[in-house]
């Protein structure tokens, strides 16, 4: 087993060495919070035993490679706070061991592929602060029963909030503000909101939407914060 951890140094610059992909036993690569530039090298996807890849808070560019799907054992993928562009690869939907996926604070576009319903172990999904993200919030999220945190704020997602999210009894945080969502927050989701700190039977403690003002884009009587 090989674990490489250089997180939080802020002195590692340049590009990610392509030679890292030749480490057959590489399971963890943690290079977050540095000043790395360039793209994610294709050779990295040859490290087939990788379980955790943390590249957040750098200056990485380029698009998300379909080859991420080759990291079939990956459980943690942190790519937030970079300069990644392009659409979300449908091929990543085969990553059925993935638990934590953070793509927030990039320049990603397009919609969430329907094939991502295959990420059946997902617990955390962050894609906020990608203003060019479009489409709707996928109804299949309701079948990903382990989800605890979903964040779409400050994106271009539109349409209505799917009632299927009300099936997520483990959900603790749902951030939907600063979007183009309209309509009314489904009662199925409101029924998950913990209104009293002593009520431990409900887990949803943060629910946000654009429900503020006299003419809100989205009606919500149960949101914990309106924007």
């Amino acid at each position: 087993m090989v674990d490489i951890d250089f997180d939080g140094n802020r002195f590692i610059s340049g590009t990610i060495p392509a030679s890292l992909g030749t480490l057959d036993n590489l399971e963890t690569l943690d290079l977050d919070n540095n000043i790395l530039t360039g793209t994610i090298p294709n050779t990295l996807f040859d490290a087939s035993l990788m379980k955790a890849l943390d590249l957040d808070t750098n200056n990485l560019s380029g698009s998300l490679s379909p080859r991420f799907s080759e990291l079939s054992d990956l459980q943690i993928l942190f790519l937030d706070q970079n300069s990644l562009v392009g659409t979300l690869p449908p091929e990543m939907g085969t990553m059925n061991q993935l638990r934590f996926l953070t793509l927030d604070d990039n320049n990603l576009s397009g919609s969430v592929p329907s094939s991502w319903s295959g990420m059946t172990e997902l617990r955390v999904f962050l894609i906020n602060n990608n203003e060019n993200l479009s489409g709707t919030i996928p109804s299949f999220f309701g079948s990903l029963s382990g989800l605890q945190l979903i964040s779409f704020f400050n994106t271009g997602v539109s349409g209505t909030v799917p009632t299927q999210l009300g099936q997520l009894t483990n959900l603790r945080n749902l951030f939907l503000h600063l979007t183009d969502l309209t309509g009314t927050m489904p009662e199925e989701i409101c029924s998950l909101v913990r209104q009293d700190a002593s009520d431990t039977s409900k887990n949803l403690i943060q629910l946000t939407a654009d429900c503020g003002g006299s003419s809100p884009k989205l009606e919500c009587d149960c949101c914990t914060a309106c924007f």
Side-chain angles (χ1 to χ4, degrees):
M1 181 181 71
V2 177
D3 295 335
I4 299 176
D5 187 349
F6 286 103
D7 74 301
N9 287 284
R10 296 303 297 173
F11 62 78
I12 299 179
S13 59
T15 59
I16 299 173
S19 58
L20 290 175
T22 65
L23 300 174
D24 294 336
N25 295 319
L26 182 63
E27 291 193 359
T28 300
L29 178 59
D30 190 349
L31 299 174
D32 78 276
N33 202 27
N34 283 290
I35 46 177
L36 293 167
T37 57
T39 60
I40 300 171
N42 269 322
T43 53
L44 209 56
F45 306 119
D46 295 328
S48 58
L49 299 181
M50 185 124 51
K51 290 183 171 58
L53 178 58
D54 187 353
L55 302 176
D56 75 79
T57 319
N58 280 287
N59 297 313
L60 296 173
S61 58
S63 58
L64 293 176
S65 172
R67 291 196 64 194
F68 269 109
S69 62
E70 297 176 27
L71 301 177
S72 57
D73 290 334
L74 201 66
Q75 299 176 14
I76 298 171
L77 180 56
F78 294 153
L79 297 175
D80 51 288
Q81 300 184 68
N82 280 290
S83 298
L84 300 173
V85 298
T87 57
L88 308 176
E91 291 85 353
M92 290 179 65
T94 61
M95 301 176 73
N96 57 13
Q97 298 301 309
L98 199 61
R99 292 173 177 264
F100 301 90
L101 177 58
T102 64
L103 300 171
D104 46 300
D105 293 273
N106 280 289
N107 297 304
L108 298 168
S109 58
S111 59
V112 178
S114 59
S115 61
W116 283 24
S117 61
M119 296 181 180
T120 52
E121 295 298 317
L122 206 58
R123 300 291 184 269
V124 171
F125 180 79
L126 303 181
I127 201 164
N128 51 275
N129 291 322
N130 284 281
E131 295 184 10
N132 293 319
L133 194 76
S134 59
T136 59
I137 296 177
S139 59
F140 68 71
F141 271 31
S143 66
L144 306 181
S145 59
L147 274 169
Q148 299 176 16
L149 169 56
I150 301 173
S151 183
F152 274 95
F153 77 82
N154 197 29
T155 66
V157 293
S158 58
T160 58
V161 181
T163 59
Q164 289 87 346
L165 297 187
Q167 301 171 24
L168 299 175
T169 55
N170 292 310
L171 192 63
R172 296 181 60 83
N173 302 279
L174 178 58
F175 300 118
L176 303 177
H177 58 285
L178 302 179
T179 66
D180 292 322
L181 294 167
T182 57
T184 302
M185 187 65 67
E187 178 56 37
E188 291 87 347
I189 296 175
C190 286
S191 67
L192 301 177
V193 177
R194 183 183 298 181
Q195 302 290 356
D196 190 304
S198 62
D199 183 8
T200 57
S201 66
K202 298 180 179 181
N203 291 316
L204 187 55
I205 57 176
Q206 288 185 293
L207 173 61
T208 67
D210 294 319
C211 47
S214 57
S215 299
K217 285 195 290 186
L218 197 153
E219 299 282 348
C220 183
D221 295 332
C222 62
C223 284
T224 60
C226 286
F227 291 78

